[in-house]
Every structure is written in C-alpha cells, then in structure tokens.
Amino acid sequence: MVKQRKLLSVPYYLWIGLFVIIPVLLLFFQAFRGLDGTFTLANIENYFTSPVYLAMTAQSFLYAFLITVSTLLISYPAAYFLTKTKHKQLWLLVMILPTWVNILLKAYAFIGILSQTGMVNQLLAFMGIGAQPLLFTRLGFLIVATYIEIPFMLLPIFNAIDDIDQSMTLASRDLGANEWQTFRSIIFPLSFSGVKSGIQAVFIPSLSLFMLTRLIAGNRVMTLGTAIEQHFLVTQNWGMGSTMGIVLIVIMFAVMALTGKRRKGVVRQ
C-alpha cells in the first residue's frame, strides 16, 4: 500500500518540480545576472533604490487593494442573499458562469460596452447625462477588473456562509438578538475564513494584472505585471523582470501568511 501511494504521488512531484520549483529557481538565477551575463546584485539594488519601481509597486498595491475592497463589498451581500434563495446552487452557477469565458474575450467585450458609442454611454445620453470617457481610464480599469474578480471572491464567501449551522442563528434569535446582531455576532465571524480565502484569490492576481492595463486602461495603469511583461518582451532585461517576479512571489507568501488560518492550541485538562 505504501509503495502504491509513492507511485501515485510521482506525477504530482514531477508537476511541482517542472512547473513550480524549476521556474522559481530560474527566476532567482536570472535576477542575479546582468545584461552581459555576469553575476551582479545591481538588479536588486536598482529595484529597491529606484523611485520609479517603488512607485510602480505602490501603485500595484493601491489598485489591488481597491479591486479587492470593491469585490468584497459586492460579493459578501450577494453571497449572503444567495444562501437565502430557494435555488441557491443554480443562482451561484449563474454568478460564476463568466469565469468560463476567456479573459481576453471579456476585455474586448468591455471595450465595446465602455466606448463612446457603447451601451453605457448610450444609456447615459438617454438619461441626459451625456457620454463620459470610460474607456482607457483608471475608472474603467477598476470596473472591468472588479467584474472579472467578483466570482473568485463570491464563491469562498458563499461556501463559508452556507456551511454555517442554522441552529446557531436560530438560537441567537431565540435569545433575543435581532437580525443585525445575529449577523455581527454569528454569521460574519463564522464566515470570515471565506473572506480571507476570497482576499487571497483576488488580491494576489490583481497585483500582476497586465492585459487589462493595456486593453482597458490604455497603459495609464502600470502594475508589476505590466512591468514584468515589458522587461521580458520589450526591453529584454530579463534580470530586472526576474527580480520583479521574485518580489511578487514574496508578496504572495506574505499575503497568504497574513490571511491564512491560525490554529489555536488545544488546552488539555
């Protein structure tokens, strides 16, 4: 049995080695290479001393934070009310259905929707407000990025709320708590693990968005993902691009550590 388990785990370890460990090691290797191929610490030094790179990192954090907060404000109430509906699994499927569509196709769809002659501006013109510049703006980028990331926040929150034992909420109401008190004392604390999982699923990818920054924001938004793409494909400065990739990995682990589950020790008597 033990030998069989080891054989079954071989594909897993091969996958981890080929597509996780080796690429990360290559990033570290490239980060310490200069343009002439020699060993250097200049890439790391330039990153942490350059106002441009530090400002780009801060901007990435800002937009990732705004996207995460926007998706949370939309997803939590939606998930809460979905758990109260009769056909909640069907409605959940409808909500996460857009994840089945390629992100590039969704981006091009929003180009048409947010353009000067698009559906949104036609509605604004009909209401007497007039057409507004939405495409190739920071606001347009936040709208599209929030829409794309909503299912990844919604699903873990929905599962966390749906798993709450209804007897606890009924007991809270029997003890005299109103609906808001029940939500504050029972539902939200017990569903907070879903919130943390949603933050992980949204905040980390939002740091490295690069396709939307070009197609929707018109390069008015520069994130670490955009800079990495430019360094690898345009300037051919693989050392600096690898350095930024390592920074993203470190940030990813930091976010996971901050939002991960903390186990409490069991007190034995």
Side-chain angles (χ1 to χ4, degrees):
M1 181 65 70
V2 175
K3 185 177 181 180
Q4 185 179 5
R5 288 179 180 177
K6 289 182 179 179
L7 289 175
L8 291 174
S9 64
V10 168
Y12 168 77
Y13 288 115
L14 284 176
W15 179 274
I16 294 296
L18 289 174
F19 299 106
V20 178
I21 297 176
I22 292 178
V24 171
L25 291 177
L26 288 174
L27 279 179
F28 275 94
F29 176 73
Q30 289 290 343
F32 293 100
R33 293 186 67 190
L35 294 175
D36 56 355
T38 59
F39 176 83
T40 181
L41 297 174
N43 294 320
I44 298 176
E45 182 182 354
N46 290 339
Y47 178 84
F48 287 102
T49 57
S50 171
V52 175
Y53 291 132
L54 294 178
M56 192 182 304
T57 305
Q59 189 178 85
S60 297
F61 265 94
L62 175 62
Y63 282 107
F65 174 77
L66 293 175
I67 293 169
T68 304
V69 171
S70 300
T71 55
L72 179 59
L73 292 177
I74 296 172
S75 299
Y76 198 99
Y80 178 76
F81 288 111
L82 274 178
T83 59
K84 306 297 182 182
T85 58
K86 185 176 181 180
H87 303 288
K88 54 187 175 182
Q89 296 297 335
L90 176 62
W91 288 113
L92 179 65
L93 177 63
V94 172
M95 295 291 288
I96 66 174
L97 200 61
T99 60
W100 298 2
V101 180
N102 185 273
I103 186 173
L104 184 61
L105 296 178
K106 288 186 283 190
Y108 278 116
F110 269 101
I111 290 177
I113 293 172
L114 299 178
S115 64
Q116 287 294 104
T117 58
M119 183 172 57
V120 174
N121 275 317
Q122 288 182 5
L123 178 61
L124 293 176
F126 176 78
M127 296 171 60
I129 300 175
Q132 302 294 321
L134 298 174
L135 191 60
F136 304 138
T137 62
R138 294 178 175 86
L139 177 61
F141 169 75
L142 287 175
I143 292 173
V144 178
T146 299
Y147 166 80
I148 290 174
E149 298 289 351
I150 279 177
F152 302 103
M153 180 71 76
L154 176 70
L155 188 57
I157 295 176
F158 172 86
N159 290 331
I161 297 177
D162 196 45
D163 288 340
I164 296 175
D165 191 350
Q166 293 300 313
S167 62
M168 300 185 68
T169 58
L170 292 175
S172 174
R173 301 301 296 271
D174 289 341
L175 291 172
N178 57 34
E179 191 169 346
W180 165 247
Q181 291 172 329
T182 301
F183 173 80
R184 185 185 61 186
S185 303
I186 304 295
I187 297 176
F188 185 75
L190 292 179
S191 63
F192 195 65
S193 60
V195 173
K196 293 192 291 185
S197 298
I199 290 173
Q200 288 182 0
V202 173
F203 186 84
I204 294 173
S206 297
L207 284 171
S208 56
L209 287 173
F210 67 92
M211 185 185 302
L212 297 181
T213 58
R214 181 182 300 109
L215 295 178
I216 303 299
N219 285 331
R220 285 180 170 83
V221 175
M222 289 294 293
T223 63
L224 286 174
T226 307
I228 291 172
E229 182 202 23
Q230 293 293 318
H231 279 86
F232 272 101
L233 300 181
V234 180
T235 65
Q236 298 292 310
N237 189 350
W238 289 15
M240 183 55 70
S242 299
T243 301
M244 293 182 176
I246 293 172
V247 171
L248 271 178
I249 293 174
V250 172
I251 294 173
M252 176 188 70
F253 279 108
V255 172
M256 292 178 66
L258 290 173
T259 58
K261 294 182 179 179
R262 292 178 174 82
R263 300 192 176 207
K264 296 182 179 180
V266 178
V267 178
R268 297 185 180 181
Q269 297 181 354

